[in-house]
Amino acid sequence: MLKEIYCPQTFRVNKEYPIYLGRNILEQLVDKIKPFKPNKVFLVSDTNVSALYGSKVMGILSQNFETFMFTVPAGEGNKTFQQYISLCNKLISSGITKRSFIIIMGGGVVGNLAGFAASTIMRGIDFAHLPTTVMAQVDSTTGGKQAVNMPQGKNLLGLFNDPKFILIDTYFLHTLPQREFSCGFAECIKHALCQDEDFVNELFLKFNKEHRYSESDLLSIVERTIKLKIDLLKMDPKEINEGKILVYGHTIGHAVETLSHGKLNHGESISIGMIFAAKASVALGFADKSLILVHEKVLTKAGLPIRIPDYIQSDNIVTQLSYDKKLSPQIELILLRQIGEPQAHEGRIGYPFNKERVLELLLDQNTWDKELYLPH
Ligand SMILES: NC(=O)c1ccc[n+]([C@@H]2O[C@H](COP(=O)([O-])OP(=O)(O)OC[C@H]3O[C@@H](n4cnc5c(N)ncnc54)[C@H](O)[C@@H]3O)[C@@H](O)[C@H]2O)c1
Ligand SMILES: [Zn+2]
C-alpha cells in the first residue's frame, strides 16, 4: 500500500511536494516521473547502492525513458566540492538539459551532494529522491537542504531547494548494515525527545540489538518521524525559531563528527551531541537528571555511543564550533526542560553560550557521569 504525506515547500507558501511511503512501491517510480515529461532521466547513486540496486532501478527506468546512470564514491569523505564538480561535469557532458530529470538513489551523502548538483546545474534541474538509508528516509531528503562539506566543517557550501517528490520504499532497508540503522534512528530519537514523549517509549520498546523489525514497525517509525519533522517545517521552514529543534544535538555533534575524521558517522555524532545538550539542560537548572538518563537509555538501546571519545579534546571541540555556520558569533544550544519540551530563552528556542562556558560544561561532563551513577 502506498501512503502519501505532503511536505511544505521551502520558499513557497501553501505549496507542497509529495512523499510516497510504502513497501515494494519501486515500480510506481515511473508513474511519478511521467507528469514531468523529461527528455532524459539521470539516475545518480553511490557505489555501494548502485551495486545493490542500480541494475534493478535502471531496468525499471530504461523501459520508459532514455536513462543514464552515474555513481559517486560512497561515504561522508566524498561529500566534497571535488565530487560535486566531478558529478556536474559528467551530467553536463552527457547532455543533461533543463527538461531532464534526476533520480537520486542512496543515503544522505549522495542525496545532499547530488541534490546540490541538481539544484545548481543550469540553475536547477527537476529531481526526486529515492532514499535507501533510515537517515535519508526519515530526515536528509525532507526539508530541502542540499550541501557538501568543506575542509573547515560540515555542509559549509549549499542551498535550500526542494525535490519534486520523495519515494520511500522500506524494501531498501533489508540490506542496510546494522550500524546504519543506529545512525538513522538517532534522528528519530531526536524528534521523539524534543516533540513526543510517547514516541520515545515506542522507540525504546521497538529497538533491538540486531535491528530486526517487522515491515509495519519500520513503516510506522519512518512515518511518525517524517510527520514530526513536517510539523516543524510547517511552523518554521528556515529554522528561525521552532525549526531549530531540527538541530538538537547537532551543535556539538557536528564538531565531534568533523574531529573524528570519519570514525563517527552523523547519527553517532549527534547522539553524543544530544547527551551533551541534556547535560547542559541539567547543569543550567532547566531540567532534572532524569532527562539525561532517558537520553542514555534510548540512545544506548539503539546502539549509539553516548560519550565523547578520548581522542577528541574539549578545547578542539570549542575551536571547531567557530566554523559552524549557524553559530557565529554566539554559540547557541537547543536545551530541553523535559522530554517533549524545549527550553525557550526570551521567547525563542535556543540558549546562548559563550565559548568559555561550553568548554567548562564539556570538562565537567566526567564529574556529572560519576555523580549520576553514584547510589543515592
Ligand atoms: N540535508 C539534511 O537535512 C540532512 C539531515 C540529516 C543528515 N544529513 C546528511 O546525511 C549524511 C548521512 O547520511 P547517511 O547516514 O544516509 O549516510 P550515507 O549516505 O553515507 O549512507 C551510509 C552507508 O550506507 C550505504 N547504503 C545506503 N543505502 C544502503 C542500503 N539500502 N543497503 C546497504 N547499504 C546502503 C551507503 O553506501 C553508505 O556506505 C550526512 O552527510 C549528513 O550531514 C543531511
Ligand atoms: Zn542530522
Side-chain angles (χ1 to χ4, degrees):
M1 206 189 69
L2 181 88
K3 281 198 173 180
E4 290 187 26
I5 306 171
Y6 287 86
C7 183
Q9 289 187 16
T10 313
F11 292 112
R12 294 167 76 193
V13 183
N14 296 332
K15 293 274 181 193
E16 297 171 319
Y17 57 89
I19 301 174
Y20 306 111
L21 171 65
R23 173 100 181 169
N24 295 322
I25 57 168
L26 202 47
E27 297 289 338
Q28 305 196 32
L29 182 60
V30 168
D31 284 345
K32 304 303 175 200
I33 302 174
K34 273 184 180 161
F36 299 94
K37 300 188 171 64
N39 61 353
K40 295 173 188 176
V41 172
F42 292 80
L43 175 64
V44 180
S45 192
D46 78 20
T47 38
N48 294 337
V49 179
S50 71
L52 288 165
Y53 301 106
S55 50
K56 182 178 172 91
V57 178
M58 272 303 277
I60 294 172
L61 291 173
S62 57
Q63 281 174 22
N64 294 274
F65 310 102
E66 186 184 356
T67 312
F68 302 81
M69 179 163 136
F70 293 105
T71 54
V72 297
E76 182 71 30
N78 294 301
K79 197 173 126 178
T80 60
F81 183 66
Q82 289 72 17
Q83 290 297 340
Y84 156 76
I85 289 290
S86 156
L87 176 63
C88 290
N89 250 323
K90 288 182 203 160
L91 292 167
I92 293 169
S93 310
S94 46
I96 198 164
T97 77
K98 281 291 281 181
R99 287 186 44 231
S100 301
F101 200 96
I102 301 178
I103 296 288
I104 307 169
M105 175 173 72
V109 166
V110 68
N112 281 185
L113 185 147
F116 186 38
S119 305
T120 44
I121 292 174
M122 296 167 197
R123 299 193 187 90
I125 309 281
D126 287 348
F127 69 101
H129 286 293
L130 203 53
T132 64
T133 60
V134 173
M135 172 67 73
Q137 299 198 340
V138 301
D139 193 7
S140 67
T141 50
T142 39
K145 285 184 182 176
Q146 320 300 343
V148 292
N149 302 330
M150 293 290 283
Q152 294 91 335
K154 276 195 52 88
N155 300 327
L156 289 182
L157 201 64
L159 45 66
F160 281 88
N161 188 33
D162 297 315
K164 292 296 169 203
F165 64 83
I166 304 171
L167 191 140
I168 300 177
D169 193 335
T170 52
Y171 151 81
F172 285 116
L173 303 181
H174 78 276
T175 52
L176 195 67
Q178 289 186 5
R179 187 178 175 194
E180 300 303 336
F181 268 100
S182 300
C183 174
F185 284 150
E187 303 282 5
C188 307
I189 296 170
K190 172 191 79 180
H191 282 286
L193 290 170
C194 294
Q195 295 169 269
D196 187 344
E197 188 173 9
D198 288 346
F199 192 31
V200 177
N201 299 330
E202 187 189 315
L203 289 173
F204 184 78
L205 289 175
K206 285 189 172 137
F207 288 154
N208 60 77
K209 226 177 169 180
E210 298 77 29
H211 290 305
R212 287 185 180 278
Y213 303 101
S214 69
E215 186 177 316
S216 65
D217 277 355
L218 276 179
L219 282 169
S220 115
I221 294 174
V222 172
E223 181 177 0
R224 206 154 163 185
T225 307
I226 291 175
K227 285 185 169 162
L228 287 171
K229 179 163 184 179
I230 288 176
D231 285 347
L232 297 178
L233 294 175
K234 277 188 177 151
M235 279 189 276
D236 178 17
K238 300 302 289 289
E239 295 175 25
I240 293 158
N241 194 14
E242 297 89 344
K244 283 189 194 157
I245 290 170
L246 289 168
V247 294
Y248 183 62
H250 282 56
T251 307
I252 297 299
H254 275 168
V256 165
E257 187 176 356
T258 303
L259 293 169
S260 82
H261 300 290
K263 290 195 201 68
L264 293 171
N265 64 30
H266 183 69
E268 290 163 348
S269 307
I270 67 156
S271 173
I272 291 168
M274 287 190 276
I275 294 286
F276 179 80
K279 286 179 175 171
S281 306
V282 174
L284 269 72
F286 297 137
D288 64 57
K289 284 182 180 172
S290 65
L291 184 81
I292 305 174
L293 295 175
V294 173
H295 276 63
E296 294 198 341
K297 263 177 80 177
V298 68
L299 291 164
T300 308
K301 186 111 189 270
L304 288 157
I306 53 171
R307 299 275 175 276
I308 299 174
D310 291 343
Y311 60 81
I312 298 180
Q313 305 305 315
S314 299
D315 47 351
N316 290 343
I317 295 178
V318 175
T319 309
Q320 186 59 39
L321 291 175
S322 330
Y323 290 118
D324 192 314
K325 58 201 179 296
K326 298 170 195 102
L327 301 175
S328 194
Q330 185 79 284
I331 296 171
E332 192 178 68
L333 293 182
I334 314 302
L335 303 180
L336 297 182
R337 291 175 70 79
Q338 57 185 12
I339 301 300
E341 195 186 332
Q343 166 71 27
H345 175 72
E346 294 172 356
R348 305 182 74 79
I349 306 288
Y351 197 86
F353 286 84
N354 60 35
K355 287 183 183 176
E356 291 70 27
R357 184 70 177 120
V358 175
L359 184 59
E360 223 173 79
L361 289 170
L362 283 164
L363 294 170
D364 277 354
Q365 280 207 92
N366 293 338
T367 328
W368 294 343
D369 285 345
K370 279 190 202 117
E371 279 178 12
L372 265 177
Y373 300 107
L374 279 178
H376 292 289

